[in-house]
Amino acid sequence: MRIHEISLIAAAGNTISVKASGQGATVIFLHGFPLDHRMWLTQLNDMSDRFHCLAIELRGFGSSSLDGDYSIQDLAEDVEQVRKHLAPNQKLHLVGLSMGGYVALEYWRKYRQNLASLTLANTKPNADDEDAKQQRLQMADRVVREGSWPALQTMISRLIARDAVESSVGQQLTEMLQTASPSAVAAAQLAMANRQDFSQQLPLISSPCLVIAGSHDAITPAEATEQWAASLPNHRLRIIQSAGHLTPMESPEVFNATLVEFLSAQPL
Ligand code: MLT
């Protein structure tokens, strides 16, 4: 299946890059930090026979531009721009992993009427505590001084399960981390440090939700995910065995089968 690139001009003059494939109901994919559309390649390929798949590159990542600092709410506005241009008059299925999940929740806050469903993978609803905020500010400073790689290379063993580090998934992850620009990494850290807590809103989300966790996720552990997901009134939970924080890359077959089954059960 052909994956093609579409560039849109959004708020603040930013160029948003979207990688698109397939036809059918629209599914928008939002990647984690500090990645890009490449983490969704298997989904763009394997789901294109039934769905119109759009992988948005968040500001500064992949081919999307960055024009100064932004908030997670700004990224939700970018998603709405993409919907308006590429899927007008349609409700969309939104799939966000980790940082992409923070954006998906903000999208729900403002644009829930446009959502057919919400998939929250390897993410969490709560904001950072003071300690986590400080660590983000330190990383933002460090990457500007030293470049991204020294700070990001230490993340590999936390992002994927240990067994995957030496595999092709580890290689693909390394390539993404090596190409993440320092300014994109710094801006994303600041945006995440300032994000709002969402925990109290969970009981209000009546959209159908799929929550996915990895049994070996060191960043958003499965047990914690199970606890917050219980507050969602209309959800399914899937814990993918042996996978770490990047379930769509580490276990693409299980991830895709779970997602397709969930999406197919939603009314058109
Ligand atoms: C991600 O994968 O997007 C990050 O773990 C999110 C974060 O740093 O909170």
Side-chain angles (χ1 to χ4, degrees):
M1 166 53 63
R2 199 169 85 82
I3 296 173
H4 59 282
E5 177 169 6
I6 302 163
S7 293
L8 298 175
I9 306 296
N14 280 307
T15 303
I16 309 173
S17 169
V18 183
K19 306 298 191 286
S21 69
Q23 286 183 343
T26 298
V27 186
I28 290 190
F29 294 94
L30 301 171
H31 61 78
F33 167 88
L35 309 177
D36 56 53
H37 84 278
R38 285 174 284 179
M39 68 154 288
W40 299 116
L41 278 181
T42 313
Q43 288 68 40
L44 288 170
N45 278 310
D46 294 358
M47 292 175 56
S48 59
D49 56 340
R50 295 181 54 188
F51 296 98
H52 178 215
C53 301
L54 301 173
I56 296 180
E57 294 188 310
L58 302 177
R59 294 187 190 187
F61 295 102
S63 312
S64 287
S65 68
L66 175 68
D67 179 22
D69 291 344
Y70 59 81
S71 64
I72 298 293
Q73 286 95 327
D74 292 329
L75 298 181
E77 295 299 334
D78 291 347
V79 174
E80 178 58 5
Q81 288 302 316
V82 171
R83 188 198 66 82
K84 275 191 189 155
H85 283 90
L86 302 183
N89 313 317
Q90 262 193 56
K91 292 197 176 206
L92 55 92
H93 299 287
L94 193 54
V95 180
L97 180 131
S98 202
M99 179 181 175
Y102 309 157
V103 180
L105 288 170
E106 280 305 327
Y107 186 86
W108 175 88
R109 200 195 295 271
K110 187 145 178 212
Y111 295 111
R112 67 195 79 170
Q113 70 281 4
N114 297 338
L115 277 178
S117 75
L118 196 54
T119 296
L120 300 167
N122 307 83
T123 191
K124 56 181 185 268
N126 48 299
D128 286 351
D129 60 21
E130 271 316 306
D131 197 37
K133 279 188 191 171
Q134 285 311 318
Q135 286 182 30
R136 292 198 192 276
L137 300 186
Q138 281 167 16
M139 184 189 272
D141 270 358
R142 184 175 175 200
V143 293
V144 171
R145 279 185 283 108
E146 299 176 7
S148 302
W149 183 240
L152 297 186
Q153 65 178 332
T154 58
M155 289 177 65
I156 294 178
S157 57
R158 281 174 59 73
L159 283 169
I160 51 180
R162 196 179 312 154
D163 291 350
V165 172
E166 300 297 331
S167 71
S168 59
V169 170
Q171 183 59 37
Q172 289 155 13
L173 176 59
T174 302
E175 282 165 20
M176 279 189 271
L177 297 183
Q178 284 175 334
T179 49
S181 84
S183 53
V185 169
Q189 286 294 346
L190 296 182
M192 288 193 283
N194 292 323
R195 76 186 189 280
Q196 292 181 25
D197 194 280
F198 211 87
S199 315
Q200 303 306 314
Q201 311 287 316
L202 294 177
L204 306 177
I205 303 183
S206 56
S207 314
C209 292
L210 171 63
V211 179
I212 297 180
S215 65
H216 288 50
D217 187 341
I219 298 175
T220 46
E223 304 75 50
T225 306
E226 219 166 328
Q227 279 177 16
W228 65 254
S231 302
L232 292 165
N234 182 7
H235 82 282
R236 290 189 200 175
L237 172 69
R238 176 71 197 252
I239 296 175
I240 301 185
Q241 295 308 315
S242 309
H245 191 57
L246 300 181
T247 48
M249 291 178 70
E250 297 179 67
S251 297
E253 278 130 32
V254 183
F255 185 96
N256 293 359
T258 305
L259 180 56
V260 168
E261 188 195 350
F262 168 72
L263 296 180
S264 305
Q266 306 311 321
L268 285 177

